[in-house]
Amino acid sequence: MTVLDKTAQLTRKDRGRHADRLFWALCVSAGFAVLVILALILITMVKEAYPAFSADFFTSSSWVPNDPDGDGPAKPVYGTLAFLYGTVVVSAIAVIVAVPVSIGIALFLTELAPRRVRTAIVTLIDLLAAVPSVVFGLWGILVVAPALVPVYQGMHDVLGGVPVLGSLFGEPRSSGRTFMTAGLILAIMIVPIITSIAREVFATVPDSDKQAAWALGATRWEMIKGAVLPHSFGGVVGAVILGLGRAMGETIAVALVIGSSVQIAANVFESGYALPAIIVDQWGESTGEFTAALIGMGVVLFVITVLVNLVARFVVRRAEIRMRGASA
Amino acid sequence: MNRTVLSRRVFAGVAVAALALAGCSSKGDPGTDPSASAAGGLASITGELKASGASFPNTYYQEVILSLKDAAPNFKVTYNSIGSGAGKKEYGSGLVDFAGTDSTVKDTDGVPAGSYLYIPTVAAPITVAYNLKGVDKLQLSPVTLSKIFQRTVKTWNAPEIAADNPGVTLPATAISVAHRSDGSGTTSNFTKYLAAAAPDDWKLGSGDTVAWPADTQAGAKNTGVAQLVKAADGAIGYIDLSDAKDSGLPFAAIKNKDGQYVLPTLEGATAALAGAEVKDDLTFNPLNAAGAATYPITAPTYLLVKPKYDDPKKAELVKAFVKYVLTDGKAIAAEVNYAVLPTELQAKALAQLDKVS
């Protein structure tokens, strides 16, 4: 009897159809909401920033939001280049430092660590992700920046004479608030993100692949190189991009430790500025075109983030195609 | 955490009570000008006011609001320190009942003409704090100051600094300049002062943010600048008086218009207010004001109130609060390192307030 009821319930057409449709509508609207929200953000920001979009905005590296001579001939200049440069340099340093460390931690956790150690380390890394960015920033200006000055000085003394490296590692700022410090703080902030995603990705490598590598007489490193890394390339790139996104958008920690000098300097031990940092620093007292310029910086940041994501997607697709070719 | 906040509240309460007592006892004193208390009708007032704006006078307004809690328990005032620019925006779009601002209203601020009156409240000196081993007294003229902040003078034993400080042995330490990273009325007033007092030497103009030379350093808010100055031997920066006092840094005496070197004090600031020319709308410029006792880098701050409120009750509340600020608030000002208005200007401000309806 009950069996019959169940069957009747399952085959009752109209009811299933309603639930299906509802579910379909829910999912589609949720999917579209993402697009709509993105589009609305972009439209409003471009509209608000429009008055500031001039040739200077994209080509100038000087930032003179006040009118230096009142009614005189000089006009305010809103150039984004120095800030764009700072954001790129700082994020690049962060990624260069954080990626090897994160992948190392993730491999250690999935391939080498005994279970008890693994749980402890995972908890610690998750805790690192939970530290608010302003705490990182304060730690940066009070502890890290002053402590790094002698290190920078040492690196400058050693590498200062070498042709290309010499200009990268120039005379350090006495306050230690530099591109490098900001990059290192950011690296610490994005390590947990990259590590936890990379760990998940490495965990999905089929045991059969690994066993196969072992069976062929591979050492542990050869197994990782031949079985784990190729299988998880796409996922790891995804993890790096998420970390990079966090690094480029990070505001308060960078604003505190980057030193707030509007300049394009090859020397990574110099002070600089970044896009989100200038927005948070100068928003409160801005009016008119000045405000528009700051919103324009937001648009620039938005566009770079989208571009980086597109490039990443392209890289992942290329790699996947190549790997499929190799395995076939 | 909670306990500290609680104890601070209790402490503040006690302090306010002590102030109130002090106020009562000195009422018969003929020296205490027209602060004939407005507290009389306050206790019966009920209502709520919202305001936002300048961060420069924020400490003072918060203390006044705290003390108002005891005088008028049912009168709730909130002041959000979001910056002059943002405060004017909120005032212009009707989000707040009054606003605080360090600068006068410009066309681009979004506040329609005729929709506001200026009420000056307090002023405060902006100190030039420095950190230089072996030098505990420093004198600077505006021209030297502008050269230091534009990085044309880079060491402490430069002839310009030596000329301002006869008889002082200055070390050859390199100067490092600290300024604000955030847009700020303090920067605006400091640069306005340099533009007024050293017009031929100061090239950066004035404003909440200026294009500082790249080899200067920036810190967030007054405390950030103070921290930078403290951290390095040879550093110099501009900081408001209360934060500079908290930091324990020494200040430079600045040469005023009359050629006197004056240290930043509240008396020097009040002297600057007395020496400034007050316009009809009660705006005035105490920067580089005349007078032998004047401290020349003194910044004013105003409240913007509407000449006509839609709700007459609101007008009464605004009048009651601003009157409280201008009269009873005076006792609090010195405690938190703000200079009060000279008697004459205070009377003008109270008269301006009467126009509100």
Side-chain angles (χ1 to χ4, degrees), chain A residues 12 17 28-29 33 98 103 132 145 155 170 175 190 206 214 219 244 250 254 257 266 281 294 301 321:
Chain A
R12 219 188 293 158
R17 211 184 288 149
V28 168
S29 53
I103 292 182
M155 286 176 78
S175 64
I190 65 177
W214 292 126
T219 60
L244 181 60
E250 175 49 45
V254 173
V257 297
D281 272 350
L294 291 176
L301 195 59
I321 290 169

Side-chain angles (χ1 to χ4, degrees), chain B residues 35-343:
Chain B
S35 27
S37 181
L42 271 178
S44 59
I45 289 178
T46 49
E48 210 177 322
L49 284 178
K50 268 192 290 187
S52 63
S55 51
F56 170 65
N58 182 47
T59 319
Y60 171 62
Y61 292 154
Q62 297 306 342
E63 288 296 323
V64 170
I65 289 168
L66 200 64
S67 90
L68 183 69
K69 249 181 211 154
D70 296 344
N74 297 318
F75 188 6
K76 193 166 170 254
V77 184
T78 51
Y79 182 84
N80 259 337
S81 146
I82 55 175
S84 299
K88 282 188 272 194
K89 262 178 240 167
E90 292 203 355
Y91 179 80
S93 47
L95 291 172
V96 290
D97 302 312
F98 63 94
T101 176
D102 299 338
S103 47
T104 53
V105 176
K106 284 171 289 206
D107 295 342
T108 51
D109 286 338
V111 183
S115 73
Y116 58 88
L117 293 170
Y118 293 107
I119 310 279
T121 52
V122 283
I126 297 170
T127 68
V128 175
Y130 67 95
N131 176 1
L132 186 58
K133 261 186 213 124
V135 178
D136 46 9
K137 267 177 103 175
L138 185 70
Q139 307 193 130
L140 292 171
S141 68
V143 171
T144 312
L145 200 57
S146 74
K147 283 182 178 161
I148 291 175
F149 277 86
Q150 286 177 119
R151 304 289 290 148
T152 46
V153 166
K154 294 193 178 187
T155 51
W156 282 104
N157 60 355
E160 288 90 342
I161 303 178
D164 288 341
N165 295 279
V168 178
T169 328
L170 293 158
T173 318
I175 300 179
S176 72
V177 168
H179 60 81
R180 294 280 291 265
S181 63
D182 49 329
S184 148
T186 310
T187 306
S188 176
N189 282 309
F190 182 68
T191 51
K192 265 185 208 156
Y193 163 72
L194 289 175
D200 299 328
D201 294 276
W202 183 249
K203 305 285 184 223
L204 298 179
S206 59
D208 296 318
T209 315
V210 302
W212 296 104
D215 57 348
T216 55
Q217 320 202 32
K221 312 272 172 193
N222 284 298
T223 43
V225 175
Q227 199 233 336
L228 274 175
V229 175
K230 248 184 144 164
D233 185 32
I236 188 166
Y238 56 92
I239 310 168
D240 74 8
L241 184 64
S242 54
D243 287 300
K245 273 193 176 165
D246 289 346
S247 73
L249 290 163
F251 319 128
I254 306 295
K255 192 181 195 176
N256 66 18
K257 214 175 180 180
D258 290 17
Q260 304 295 318
Y261 288 97
V262 178
L263 278 167
T265 57
L266 298 180
E267 295 71 33
T270 304
L273 298 187
E277 190 187 329
V278 179
K279 296 196 195 110
D280 287 341
D281 61 358
L282 291 198
T283 60
F284 58 101
N285 183 8
L287 293 166
N288 202 26
T294 292
Y295 181 72
I297 322 177
T298 296
T301 187
Y302 310 94
L303 290 176
L304 294 180
V305 298
K306 290 185 187 161
K308 176 115 188 77
Y309 283 86
D310 297 334
D311 179 2
K313 173 115 198 306
K314 202 116 257 184
E316 286 311 310
L317 291 176
V318 170
K319 281 168 93 165
F321 176 71
V322 180
K323 193 168 183 192
Y324 186 79
V325 170
L326 288 171
T327 54
D328 298 60
K330 283 181 91 167
I332 299 164
E335 297 278 313
V336 284
N337 292 306
Y338 289 87
V340 294
L341 303 178
T343 320

Side-chain angles (χ1 to χ4, degrees), chain A residues 261-307:
Chain A
S261 292
V262 187
Q263 63 172 339
I264 295 181
N267 181 1
V268 293
F269 301 149
E270 255 298 332
S271 295
Y273 230 137
L275 288 168
I278 180 89
I279 299 175
V280 74
D281 272 350
Q282 304 199 341
W283 177 262
E285 298 287 343
S286 67
T287 53
E289 205 185 7
F290 189 1
T291 312
L294 291 176
I295 300 174
M297 300 240 181
V299 176
V300 172
L301 195 59
F302 186 93
V303 171
I304 319 176
T305 322
V306 171
L307 280 181

